[in-house]
Amino acid sequence: MTPMAFVYTEVQVSVPFDQAPWHEINKTIQQQPGFLNKTWLSGVKTNSLGGVYAFDSIENATEFVTGYFPREAASFGSAHNTRVFDAEIVRDASLGLNSPHFGGVPTQKPGAFVYTEVQINVPFEKAPWRDRNPVLAQQPGLIAKTWFSGVKTNTLGGLDAFDTLENATAFALQDFPKAAKKMNSAFYTRIFDATVTEAASREMHSPYCV
C-alpha cells in the first residue's frame, strides 16, 4: 500500500541497539491503526533510538505521535522528538531519487541514513526539489531519498540512504549545510547506522530491507 503519511521519531536515550527492546516494541507498533512499516534508526555516536514510519493516513499518523508514542518514550524516562509528514505530496519527487517507499528498488542495502529538516515554510509544490534532485543524484554513495514535507509547517527535509557511514557523514557535514545556507535557514540533521538496525527493520517490513 502506498503511504499517505510519514512519521519521524527520536528518543533522547543512549542505548546500544543490541540492548534495545526492539522486538517487544515492534509487536506493539504493529498493532497501531494505519501502520504500514518502520525503518529503525540508531544514532551514530549517540545511540539514540528512533525511526521513520509509514502510515495509511495523516490522521492515523497524528494519532500515533499524540497517543501511542509519548507513552513509549515515557517508558524510557526520556524526552522525545516527533514529526508528521505528508507522503502523498512528495511521491513524484521521491520516485525521482529511487525511494523504496514508493516502489523504487535500491541497488544495495544502506549502510547509513541521514535525516534532514530545514526550518522553512514552503508548500512542497513550490519547493526547489526539481533543481535539487539532479544534485542529490550525483552525491557520492546516495542509494535513495524520500522527501519530507511537514504537516501544518511545510518544512522541507527527507531521509537519505547511503552506502557507507563515511559518505553519509560527508553529506551531513559538508553538502547539506551549503544547501540550507542557500535557503537562509536553520536546519536539523542526524546520522544513523543502518547496519545495526537491519533485523529490527526487516521485522517491521521496512522497504529498505526487502
PDB file of all heavy atoms in Angstrom, residues 31-55:
ATOM      1  N   GLN A  31       0.426  -3.156  15.990  1.00  0.00           N
ATOM      2  CA  GLN A  31      -0.998  -3.130  16.312  1.00  0.00           C
ATOM      3  C   GLN A  31      -1.617  -1.739  16.182  1.00  0.00           C
ATOM      4  O   GLN A  31      -2.831  -1.585  16.334  1.00  0.00           O
ATOM      5  CB  GLN A  31      -1.212  -3.638  17.751  1.00  0.00           C
ATOM      6  CG  GLN A  31      -0.674  -5.031  18.011  1.00  0.00           C
ATOM      7  CD  GLN A  31      -1.251  -6.065  17.075  1.00  0.00           C
ATOM      8  OE1 GLN A  31      -2.465  -6.106  16.875  1.00  0.00           O
ATOM      9  NE2 GLN A  31      -0.399  -6.901  16.496  1.00  0.00           N
ATOM     10  N   GLN A  32      -0.796  -0.730  15.881  1.00  0.00           N
ATOM     11  CA  GLN A  32      -1.313   0.638  15.831  1.00  0.00           C
ATOM     12  C   GLN A  32      -2.106   0.874  14.545  1.00  0.00           C
ATOM     13  O   GLN A  32      -1.715   0.420  13.468  1.00  0.00           O
ATOM     14  CB  GLN A  32      -0.166   1.642  15.936  1.00  0.00           C
ATOM     15  CG  GLN A  32       0.664   1.502  17.203  1.00  0.00           C
ATOM     16  CD  GLN A  32      -0.181   1.486  18.461  1.00  0.00           C
ATOM     17  OE1 GLN A  32      -0.975   2.400  18.703  1.00  0.00           O
ATOM     18  NE2 GLN A  32      -0.018   0.443  19.272  1.00  0.00           N
ATOM     19  N   PRO A  33      -3.231   1.577  14.641  1.00  0.00           N
ATOM     20  CA  PRO A  33      -4.085   1.809  13.467  1.00  0.00           C
ATOM     21  C   PRO A  33      -3.334   2.480  12.321  1.00  0.00           C
ATOM     22  O   PRO A  33      -2.645   3.482  12.521  1.00  0.00           O
ATOM     23  CB  PRO A  33      -5.182   2.732  14.015  1.00  0.00           C
ATOM     24  CG  PRO A  33      -5.232   2.440  15.477  1.00  0.00           C
ATOM     25  CD  PRO A  33      -3.813   2.157  15.874  1.00  0.00           C
ATOM     26  N   GLY A  34      -3.465   1.898  11.144  1.00  0.00           N
ATOM     27  CA  GLY A  34      -2.902   2.501   9.948  1.00  0.00           C
ATOM     28  C   GLY A  34      -1.426   2.298   9.730  1.00  0.00           C
ATOM     29  O   GLY A  34      -0.871   2.767   8.729  1.00  0.00           O
ATOM     30  N   PHE A  35      -0.760   1.577  10.633  1.00  0.00           N
ATOM     31  CA  PHE A  35       0.681   1.367  10.491  1.00  0.00           C
ATOM     32  C   PHE A  35       0.983   0.497   9.276  1.00  0.00           C
ATOM     33  O   PHE A  35       0.349  -0.538   9.062  1.00  0.00           O
ATOM     34  CB  PHE A  35       1.247   0.709  11.749  1.00  0.00           C
ATOM     35  CG  PHE A  35       2.669   0.242  11.601  1.00  0.00           C
ATOM     36  CD1 PHE A  35       3.714   1.139  11.684  1.00  0.00           C
ATOM     37  CD2 PHE A  35       2.954  -1.101  11.361  1.00  0.00           C
ATOM     38  CE1 PHE A  35       5.023   0.712  11.532  1.00  0.00           C
ATOM     39  CE2 PHE A  35       4.261  -1.535  11.211  1.00  0.00           C
ATOM     40  CZ  PHE A  35       5.297  -0.628  11.299  1.00  0.00           C
ATOM     41  N   LEU A  36       1.980   0.909   8.480  1.00  0.00           N
ATOM     42  CA  LEU A  36       2.389   0.146   7.300  1.00  0.00           C
ATOM     43  C   LEU A  36       3.780  -0.459   7.459  1.00  0.00           C
ATOM     44  O   LEU A  36       3.974  -1.648   7.214  1.00  0.00           O
ATOM     45  CB  LEU A  36       2.360   1.038   6.054  1.00  0.00           C
ATOM     46  CG  LEU A  36       1.013   1.657   5.684  1.00  0.00           C
ATOM     47  CD1 LEU A  36       1.167   2.561   4.465  1.00  0.00           C
ATOM     48  CD2 LEU A  36      -0.027   0.574   5.426  1.00  0.00           C
ATOM     49  N   ASN A  37       4.755   0.345   7.844  1.00  0.00           N
ATOM     50  CA  ASN A  37       6.112  -0.169   8.021  1.00  0.00           C
ATOM     51  C   ASN A  37       6.950   0.811   8.832  1.00  0.00           C
ATOM     52  O   ASN A  37       6.559   1.966   9.024  1.00  0.00           O
ATOM     53  CB  ASN A  37       6.781  -0.468   6.667  1.00  0.00           C
ATOM     54  CG  ASN A  37       6.882   0.751   5.773  1.00  0.00           C
ATOM     55  OD1 ASN A  37       7.594   1.706   6.072  1.00  0.00           O
ATOM     56  ND2 ASN A  37       6.164   0.723   4.655  1.00  0.00           N
ATOM     57  N   LYS A  38       8.083   0.318   9.296  1.00  0.00           N
ATOM     58  CA  LYS A  38       9.006   1.160  10.066  1.00  0.00           C
ATOM     59  C   LYS A  38      10.439   0.829   9.689  1.00  0.00           C
ATOM     60  O   LYS A  38      10.803  -0.343   9.530  1.00  0.00           O
ATOM     61  CB  LYS A  38       8.832   0.943  11.571  1.00  0.00           C
ATOM     62  CG  LYS A  38       9.882   1.691  12.414  1.00  0.00           C
ATOM     63  CD  LYS A  38       9.712   1.489  13.906  1.00  0.00           C
ATOM     64  CE  LYS A  38      10.789   2.265  14.669  1.00  0.00           C
ATOM     65  NZ  LYS A  38      10.621   2.179  16.137  1.00  0.00           N
ATOM     66  N   THR A  39      11.247   1.859   9.566  1.00  0.00           N
ATOM     67  CA  THR A  39      12.692   1.720   9.439  1.00  0.00           C
ATOM     68  C   THR A  39      13.307   2.237  10.732  1.00  0.00           C
ATOM     69  O   THR A  39      13.180   3.421  11.058  1.00  0.00           O
ATOM     70  CB  THR A  39      13.224   2.530   8.240  1.00  0.00           C
ATOM     71  OG1 THR A  39      12.603   2.050   7.037  1.00  0.00           O
ATOM     72  CG2 THR A  39      14.738   2.394   8.123  1.00  0.00           C
ATOM     73  N   TRP A  40      13.912   1.344  11.490  1.00  0.00           N
ATOM     74  CA  TRP A  40      14.527   1.735  12.757  1.00  0.00           C
ATOM     75  C   TRP A  40      15.757   2.606  12.515  1.00  0.00           C
ATOM     76  O   TRP A  40      16.470   2.444  11.516  1.00  0.00           O
ATOM     77  CB  TRP A  40      14.944   0.499  13.542  1.00  0.00           C
ATOM     78  CG  TRP A  40      13.865  -0.124  14.371  1.00  0.00           C
ATOM     79  CD1 TRP A  40      12.994  -1.107  13.985  1.00  0.00           C
ATOM     80  CD2 TRP A  40      13.559   0.178  15.732  1.00  0.00           C
ATOM     81  NE1 TRP A  40      12.165  -1.431  15.021  1.00  0.00           N
ATOM     82  CE2 TRP A  40      12.485  -0.667  16.113  1.00  0.00           C
ATOM     83  CE3 TRP A  40      14.077   1.066  16.672  1.00  0.00           C
ATOM     84  CZ2 TRP A  40      11.928  -0.643  17.390  1.00  0.00           C
ATOM     85  CZ3 TRP A  40      13.528   1.095  17.941  1.00  0.00           C
ATOM     86  CH2 TRP A  40      12.465   0.253  18.293  1.00  0.00           C
ATOM     87  N   LEU A  41      16.022   3.511  13.467  1.00  0.00           N
ATOM     88  CA  LEU A  41      17.175   4.400  13.406  1.00  0.00           C
ATOM     89  C   LEU A  41      17.953   4.331  14.715  1.00  0.00           C
ATOM     90  O   LEU A  41      17.362   4.374  15.793  1.00  0.00           O
ATOM     91  CB  LEU A  41      16.727   5.843  13.152  1.00  0.00           C
ATOM     92  CG  LEU A  41      15.930   6.091  11.865  1.00  0.00           C
ATOM     93  CD1 LEU A  41      15.433   7.528  11.822  1.00  0.00           C
ATOM     94  CD2 LEU A  41      16.765   5.773  10.633  1.00  0.00           C
ATOM     95  N   SER A  42      19.264   4.230  14.597  1.00  0.00           N
ATOM     96  CA  SER A  42      20.154   4.198  15.763  1.00  0.00           C
ATOM     97  C   SER A  42      21.236   5.249  15.566  1.00  0.00           C
ATOM     98  O   SER A  42      22.024   5.180  14.611  1.00  0.00           O
ATOM     99  CB  SER A  42      20.790   2.808  15.909  1.00  0.00           C
ATOM    100  OG  SER A  42      21.706   2.776  16.992  1.00  0.00           O
ATOM    101  N   GLY A  43      21.260   6.232  16.457  1.00  0.00           N
ATOM    102  CA  GLY A  43      22.132   7.384  16.284  1.00  0.00           C
ATOM    103  C   GLY A  43      23.612   7.065  16.343  1.00  0.00           C
ATOM    104  O   GLY A  43      24.076   6.385  17.264  1.00  0.00           O
ATOM    105  N   VAL A  44      24.353   7.576  15.369  1.00  0.00           N
ATOM    106  CA  VAL A  44      25.806   7.435  15.369  1.00  0.00           C
ATOM    107  C   VAL A  44      26.385   8.327  16.466  1.00  0.00           C
ATOM    108  O   VAL A  44      26.040   9.508  16.570  1.00  0.00           O
ATOM    109  CB  VAL A  44      26.380   7.817  13.993  1.00  0.00           C
ATOM    110  CG1 VAL A  44      27.906   7.905  14.037  1.00  0.00           C
ATOM    111  CG2 VAL A  44      25.938   6.809  12.943  1.00  0.00           C
ATOM    112  N   LYS A  45      27.226   7.762  17.309  1.00  0.00           N
ATOM    113  CA  LYS A  45      27.892   8.429  18.433  1.00  0.00           C
ATOM    114  C   LYS A  45      26.952   8.758  19.596  1.00  0.00           C
ATOM    115  O   LYS A  45      27.428   9.141  20.666  1.00  0.00           O
ATOM    116  CB  LYS A  45      28.616   9.708  17.987  1.00  0.00           C
ATOM    117  CG  LYS A  45      29.737   9.464  16.994  1.00  0.00           C
ATOM    118  CD  LYS A  45      30.485  10.754  16.674  1.00  0.00           C
ATOM    119  CE  LYS A  45      31.618  10.489  15.698  1.00  0.00           C
ATOM    120  NZ  LYS A  45      32.380  11.726  15.377  1.00  0.00           N
ATOM    121  N   THR A  46      25.638   8.629  19.393  1.00  0.00           N
ATOM    122  CA  THR A  46      24.691   8.953  20.462  1.00  0.00           C
ATOM    123  C   THR A  46      23.905   7.742  20.942  1.00  0.00           C
ATOM    124  O   THR A  46      23.423   7.726  22.074  1.00  0.00           O
ATOM    125  CB  THR A  46      23.672  10.004  19.994  1.00  0.00           C
ATOM    126  OG1 THR A  46      22.873   9.447  18.934  1.00  0.00           O
ATOM    127  CG2 THR A  46      24.370  11.267  19.505  1.00  0.00           C
ATOM    128  N   ASN A  47      23.729   6.738  20.076  1.00  0.00           N
ATOM    129  CA  ASN A  47      22.888   5.572  20.374  1.00  0.00           C
ATOM    130  C   ASN A  47      21.446   5.959  20.690  1.00  0.00           C
ATOM    131  O   ASN A  47      20.752   5.256  21.438  1.00  0.00           O
ATOM    132  CB  ASN A  47      23.471   4.747  21.530  1.00  0.00           C
ATOM    133  CG  ASN A  47      24.731   4.011  21.138  1.00  0.00           C
ATOM    134  OD1 ASN A  47      24.845   3.499  20.033  1.00  0.00           O
ATOM    135  ND2 ASN A  47      25.701   3.969  22.042  1.00  0.00           N
ATOM    136  N   SER A  48      20.989   7.087  20.147  1.00  0.00           N
ATOM    137  CA  SER A  48      19.578   7.427  20.290  1.00  0.00           C
ATOM    138  C   SER A  48      18.747   6.402  19.522  1.00  0.00           C
ATOM    139  O   SER A  48      19.242   5.730  18.612  1.00  0.00           O
ATOM    140  CB  SER A  48      19.304   8.833  19.759  1.00  0.00           C
ATOM    141  OG  SER A  48      19.615   8.905  18.379  1.00  0.00           O
ATOM    142  N   LEU A  49      17.483   6.278  19.904  1.00  0.00           N
ATOM    143  CA  LEU A  49      16.582   5.333  19.253  1.00  0.00           C
ATOM    144  C   LEU A  49      15.467   6.093  18.549  1.00  0.00           C
ATOM    145  O   LEU A  49      14.909   7.047  19.104  1.00  0.00           O
ATOM    146  CB  LEU A  49      15.955   4.384  20.278  1.00  0.00           C
ATOM    147  CG  LEU A  49      16.894   3.430  21.005  1.00  0.00           C
ATOM    148  CD1 LEU A  49      16.115   2.644  22.056  1.00  0.00           C
ATOM    149  CD2 LEU A  49      17.572   2.484  20.026  1.00  0.00           C
ATOM    150  N   GLY A  50      15.135   5.663  17.349  1.00  0.00           N
ATOM    151  CA  GLY A  50      14.054   6.314  16.630  1.00  0.00           C
ATOM    152  C   GLY A  50      13.656   5.527  15.410  1.00  0.00           C
ATOM    153  O   GLY A  50      13.972   4.339  15.282  1.00  0.00           O
ATOM    154  N   GLY A  51      12.974   6.205  14.511  1.00  0.00           N
ATOM    155  CA  GLY A  51      12.554   5.514  13.306  1.00  0.00           C
ATOM    156  C   GLY A  51      11.802   6.410  12.352  1.00  0.00           C
ATOM    157  O   GLY A  51      11.404   7.529  12.693  1.00  0.00           O
ATOM    158  N   VAL A  52      11.628   5.903  11.149  1.00  0.00           N
ATOM    159  CA  VAL A  52      10.751   6.508  10.153  1.00  0.00           C
ATOM    160  C   VAL A  52       9.660   5.494   9.859  1.00  0.00           C
ATOM    161  O   VAL A  52       9.946   4.342   9.523  1.00  0.00           O
ATOM    162  CB  VAL A  52      11.511   6.877   8.869  1.00  0.00           C
ATOM    163  CG1 VAL A  52      10.544   7.237   7.750  1.00  0.00           C
ATOM    164  CG2 VAL A  52      12.455   8.041   9.140  1.00  0.00           C
ATOM    165  N   TYR A  53       8.405   5.927  10.007  1.00  0.00           N
ATOM    166  CA  TYR A  53       7.242   5.060   9.878  1.00  0.00           C
ATOM    167  C   TYR A  53       6.389   5.519   8.705  1.00  0.00           C
ATOM    168  O   TYR A  53       6.282   6.716   8.437  1.00  0.00           O
ATOM    169  CB  TYR A  53       6.359   5.131  11.126  1.00  0.00           C
ATOM    170  CG  TYR A  53       7.059   5.021  12.456  1.00  0.00           C
ATOM    171  CD1 TYR A  53       7.934   6.013  12.902  1.00  0.00           C
ATOM    172  CD2 TYR A  53       6.800   3.942  13.302  1.00  0.00           C
ATOM    173  CE1 TYR A  53       8.553   5.920  14.134  1.00  0.00           C
ATOM    174  CE2 TYR A  53       7.411   3.849  14.546  1.00  0.00           C
ATOM    175  CZ  TYR A  53       8.289   4.841  14.950  1.00  0.00           C
ATOM    176  OH  TYR A  53       8.895   4.747  16.181  1.00  0.00           O
ATOM    177  N   ALA A  54       5.745   4.574   8.057  1.00  0.00           N
ATOM    178  CA  ALA A  54       4.765   4.886   7.023  1.00  0.00           C
ATOM    179  C   ALA A  54       3.375   4.533   7.541  1.00  0.00           C
ATOM    180  O   ALA A  54       3.189   3.480   8.167  1.00  0.00           O
ATOM    181  CB  ALA A  54       5.064   4.108   5.745  1.00  0.00           C
ATOM    182  N   PHE A  55       2.408   5.424   7.271  1.00  0.00           N
ATOM    183  CA  PHE A  55       1.021   5.217   7.692  1.00  0.00           C
ATOM    184  C   PHE A  55       0.079   5.392   6.510  1.00  0.00           C
ATOM    185  O   PHE A  55       0.414   6.033   5.513  1.00  0.00           O
ATOM    186  CB  PHE A  55       0.644   6.203   8.800  1.00  0.00           C
ATOM    187  CG  PHE A  55       1.155   5.814  10.159  1.00  0.00           C
ATOM    188  CD1 PHE A  55       2.428   6.177  10.562  1.00  0.00           C
ATOM    189  CD2 PHE A  55       0.371   5.067  11.026  1.00  0.00           C
ATOM    190  CE1 PHE A  55       2.910   5.811  11.808  1.00  0.00           C
ATOM    191  CE2 PHE A  55       0.842   4.696  12.274  1.00  0.00           C
ATOM    192  CZ  PHE A  55       2.116   5.065  12.667  1.00  0.00           C
TER     193      PHE A  55
END
